[in-house]
Amino acid sequence: MGHAAQTVTLTTAQAIVRYLANQWIEIDSVETRICGGGFGIFGHGNVTCLGEALYGHQDELPLYRGQNEQGMGFAAAAYAKAWLRRRFMFCTASAGPGTANLLTSAALAHANRLPMLMLCGDAFLTRLPDPVLQQLEHFGNPTFGTNDAFKAVSRYWDRITHPAQVIQSLPAALATMLDPADCGPAFIGLPQDVQGWTYDYPVSFFEKRVHRIRRQAPDALEVADAAALLKSAKRPMIIAGGGVQYSGAVAELTAFADSTGIPVVETIAGRANLVHDHGLNIGPIGVTGSDSANTIAEEADVILAVGTRLQDFTTGSWTAFAHDAKIIGLNVGRHDAAKHMSTTVVGDAKLALPTLADAIAGYAAPADWTAKAKAERAKWDEYVAENTRVGNGPASYAQAIGEVNRLCDARDRVVAAAGGLPAEVTANWKTLDIGTVDVEFGFSCMGYEIAGGWGARIAQSQMEPDQDTIVFTGDGSYLLMNSDIYSSVLTDKKLIILVLDNGGFAVINKLQNNTGNESFNNLIADTPTATHQVGVDFEAHARAMGAEAETVSSPSELEEAFKRAKAADRTYVISMKVDAYEGWTTEGHAWWEVGTPHVTASDKVRAAHVDWESTRPKQRKGV
């Protein structure tokens, strides 16, 4: 007869924490904990049991105190992105509004395919004290609550109703977060009573385990079909997405392009796959792209889309390509590889690109096509040089971006998110080194900038502590979420933050005007209910949270301010006003489908609708 397995009696919360502390991953032959720790705000739904468990594992799983649960989620997402999805952070929030505040950041992680573990308080399983503080009551379904809202924004969702369930649930959540194709946030609801219940867990469940991220080899027949199509191309193009970096396939992408002479364009997520002066880097593509990339995209006959989900900003709402252009979808995720009737190659880019290169050995893009792409890029470089030149007009995003680009270190990490700055950074930033740009545009989320910068800096301090994380944010995003300036000061995670103040939500005002509408409720000056229009002293506000800060009056003053920020030992905020109307990057934009009124009393709105719809015939109808 066999011997009974050795067990240890733990609470549900203690078991979760002990398991997480013993999960490791091998990265470049070095073993490190896969969970870098967590972000937490305690309440009655998580402090007594989960808090008790975390207290005993502070060395293995450091807990960062958040100021806002949404900001915690943004920080966790940025951390995972900086670690190329190989490590993650957990977020813990109390039952009710604390957990609900994580919904937006869970959606951001889901859209961007980023791992994040949410350990959130839940209603009492016994229901004996119901209804408890902050509990929603659904009269016909007592199991239905706030936490069920996360089913739409989680790749893995579970509610622990018995302590033994964590033996199955935790490995399943971890497997989801590590899966290259299904990667995304995992949510585990923890009823307040179940957190403290005990179970005799097998000791073997808590033994050290080293994980590796799966690399799926491509199917030989799919490679053969893709190779045949690519070898027929007269005007081939590669779209390089964020998946290239997550796969660690930058070298393979570069070698593939160099050996074939095929021009490469980058998505927003793939913005730092190639350095700016690589000869085959033709620029960013799409709505926030470049004339160079969009020009060749219109003419390409075969498009190799690598590691991209082909979002509308990449495809110009599917107007960026010729109707008869053929697409090869090379992606670890079947869902993305098969979009728009693509010839699919489902597999890891690091493995699939060399395999495809072997299959097309001897093929080279026609020299005149490659030369045209390079000439287009040279013209775009001239435009960017003038667009970012200080003194070319009123103070602008582009001028500030150009100055920081000129002064920063090659390995500094740049973070931007919602509003006009993602477009301006994507179009104007010259990538100085691989993987140094984080433009969050999967969910285009205001508030990610500073919170995400904090998470990115935590990761950077573990990998490249001597470099800086530089955050670009507008005044609107700053006002939405700024409290992680305080977090960065508290934790000695220095940020350099540029607050570019254009008096409101200026990029949406621009869209409003471009569709024939009058300015309304976007700029402070055009908000009728803003009857006492005062400016915000961003410098004083940042100083109140412990940061160093200064205000510059023009881009020409930015150089010395940025040097002071680089030399500082704590978070440094630089505030500068920019023009709300002039100085936008006006070139490089593909069409973007926006709903415009089909009936209106305004001649301007009607004319804008007709003009907007005039591009629709270029739109591919799913094939």
Side-chain angles (χ1 to χ4, degrees):
M1 296 179 62
H3 296 287
Q6 186 179 359
T7 61
V8 58
T9 303
L10 298 170
T11 68
T12 301
Q14 291 164 357
I16 290 171
V17 174
R18 184 178 291 195
Y19 176 84
L20 289 176
N22 285 288
Q23 304 308 302
W24 296 68
I25 189 167
E26 184 181 291
I27 302 174
D28 299 328
S29 301
V30 176
E31 294 180 3
T32 187
R33 277 192 178 82
I34 194 167
C35 181
F39 299 98
I41 295 178
F42 285 136
H44 67 273
N46 63 345
V47 67
T48 55
C49 294
L50 189 62
E52 184 269 347
L54 289 168
Y55 182 82
H57 288 80
Q58 298 175 59
D59 291 339
E60 303 100 315
L61 300 173
L63 185 66
Y64 291 86
R65 178 192 177 279
Q67 319 304 324
N68 177 296
E69 291 88 356
Q70 183 173 313
M72 293 183 344
F74 290 161
Y79 178 92
K81 189 183 289 190
W83 270 105
L84 299 176
R85 306 195 308 190
R86 298 168 184 174
R87 300 186 74 195
F88 68 87
M89 300 280 272
F90 68 82
C91 295
T92 180
S94 187
T99 290
N101 282 343
L102 276 169
L103 267 170
T104 301
S105 39
L108 178 143
H110 191 285
N112 286 283
R113 321 284 172 84
L114 297 170
M116 175 175 72
L117 177 62
M118 291 167 282
L119 301 172
C120 296
D122 209 330
F124 286 87
L125 189 67
T126 64
R127 303 182 194 156
L128 292 175
D130 285 12
V132 299
L133 178 68
Q134 300 172 335
Q135 180 178 342
L136 299 183
E137 291 185 275
H138 286 268
F139 309 141
N141 185 352
T143 68
F144 196 45
T146 303
N147 289 0
D148 293 274
F150 284 83
K151 292 176 180 177
V153 293
S154 300
R155 289 286 191 173
Y156 181 87
W157 188 97
D158 199 4
R159 175 181 283 125
I160 303 302
T161 57
H162 188 281
Q165 289 176 346
V166 301
I167 298 173
Q168 184 276 336
S169 185
L170 284 175
L174 187 59
T176 301
M177 290 187 288
L178 287 178
D179 190 284
D182 294 335
C183 184
F187 180 92
I188 297 180
L190 299 172
Q192 294 165 65
D193 46 3
V194 178
Q195 285 184 49
W197 292 355
T198 60
Y199 184 74
D200 294 336
Y201 290 96
V203 171
S204 59
F205 182 63
F206 306 106
E207 292 176 353
K208 177 181 177 180
R209 182 175 179 184
V210 180
H211 300 263
R212 297 174 183 85
I213 294 178
R214 180 187 312 108
R215 289 198 182 277
Q216 180 178 340
D219 179 81
L221 293 177
E222 289 191 341
V223 171
D225 288 345
L229 179 55
L230 199 53
K231 285 192 289 187
S232 73
K234 300 295 190 292
R235 298 177 302 280
M237 180 182 79
I238 298 169
I239 301 177
V244 173
Q245 290 182 45
Y246 294 141
S247 172
V250 167
E252 288 74 15
L253 170 74
T254 305
F256 188 95
D258 287 341
S259 66
T260 60
I262 299 177
V264 179
V265 301
E266 294 179 324
T267 69
I268 297 173
R271 188 58 182 79
N273 281 321
L274 297 175
V275 293
H276 76 98
D277 57 358
H278 186 282
L280 290 167
N281 182 353
I282 310 304
I285 187 174
V287 178
T288 58
S290 58
D291 285 341
S292 49
N294 288 333
T295 295
I296 68 165
E298 284 187 331
E299 299 181 26
D301 60 352
V302 176
I303 298 159
L304 175 59
V306 184
T308 170
R309 62 195 184 102
L310 294 174
Q311 180 217 31
D312 68 335
F313 262 62
T314 298
T315 67
S317 298
W318 289 100
T319 63
F321 316 124
H323 280 271
D324 58 353
K326 304 298 182 184
I327 299 172
I328 300 169
L330 193 163
N331 204 294
V332 73
R334 171 196 54 79
H335 176 80
D336 293 317
K339 285 176 178 172
H340 274 243
M341 305 289 287
S342 296
T343 296
T344 60
V345 179
V346 178
D348 179 81
K350 192 176 183 69
L351 300 179
L353 282 170
T355 304
L356 183 58
D358 290 342
I360 62 169
Y363 170 81
D368 59 344
W369 169 247
T370 303
K372 175 177 180 174
K374 291 181 176 181
E376 292 292 336
R377 176 59 196 254
K379 289 191 291 185
W380 179 251
D381 286 343
E382 292 176 2
Y383 172 80
V384 169
E386 175 57 24
N387 197 40
T388 57
R389 181 178 62 81
V390 173
N392 65 7
S396 67
Y397 283 165
Q399 292 175 28
I401 289 165
E403 286 299 280
V404 172
N405 206 169
R406 180 173 64 85
L407 298 166
C408 73
D409 292 337
R411 290 299 307 167
D412 286 345
R413 187 169 184 84
V414 177
V415 178
L421 277 164
E424 297 295 318
V425 171
T426 299
N428 294 291
W429 187 264
K430 297 179 179 179
T431 300
L432 303 176
D433 208 342
I434 301 302
T436 54
V437 178
D438 175 4
V439 176
E440 193 293 295
F441 224 54
F443 206 56
S444 182
C445 210
M446 292 177 65
Y448 175 87
E449 298 90 341
I450 294 172
W454 180 40
R457 177 57 194 154
I458 293 172
Q460 186 185 51
S461 68
Q462 296 166 346
M463 294 182 282
E464 299 177 291
D466 294 332
Q467 302 304 136
D468 281 306
T469 296
I470 302 166
V471 173
F472 287 102
T473 183
D475 52 305
S477 284
Y478 181 100
L479 290 172
L480 183 90
M481 188 173 293
N482 54 62
S483 57
D484 285 314
I485 290 176
Y486 183 51
S487 301
S488 71
V489 173
L490 283 175
T491 57
D492 282 320
K493 298 297 183 284
K494 175 195 168 184
L495 302 174
I496 298 176
I497 302 171
L498 277 83
V499 184
L500 302 177
D501 178 6
N502 52 24
F505 306 138
V507 74
I508 296 302
N509 179 72
K510 183 162 75 84
L511 176 63
Q512 197 170 44
N513 295 162
N514 288 346
T515 53
N517 289 280
E518 300 299 326
S519 294
F520 172 56
N521 212 58
N522 284 313
L523 298 178
I524 301 298
D526 299 315
T527 301
T529 54
T531 55
H532 181 56
Q533 297 188 357
V534 296
V536 176
D537 189 338
F538 294 103
E539 177 185 343
H541 187 267
R543 287 188 181 278
M545 289 187 283
E548 294 188 41
E550 66 176 287
T551 303
V552 297
S553 60
S554 67
S556 60
E557 295 182 5
L558 187 56
E559 178 173 356
E560 294 305 317
F562 188 78
K563 290 178 180 177
R564 287 188 286 271
K566 289 287 284 183
D569 63 357
R570 71 179 72 176
T571 291
Y572 203 104
V573 176
I574 303 172
S575 174
M576 184 180 79
K577 289 188 180 297
V578 296
D579 196 273
Y581 301 98
E582 297 183 47
W584 295 102
T585 299
T586 56
E587 301 297 324
H589 304 315
W591 187 71
W592 184 36
E593 180 163 4
V594 176
T596 53
H598 288 228
V599 176
T600 176
S602 167
D603 291 339
K604 289 200 304 180
V605 171
R606 184 181 300 107
H609 169 72
V610 171
D611 180 63
W612 213 277
E613 289 296 309
S614 67
T615 303
R616 188 174 295 281
K618 295 178 63 177
Q619 191 173 44
R620 292 166 64 103
K621 304 300 190 292
V623 294

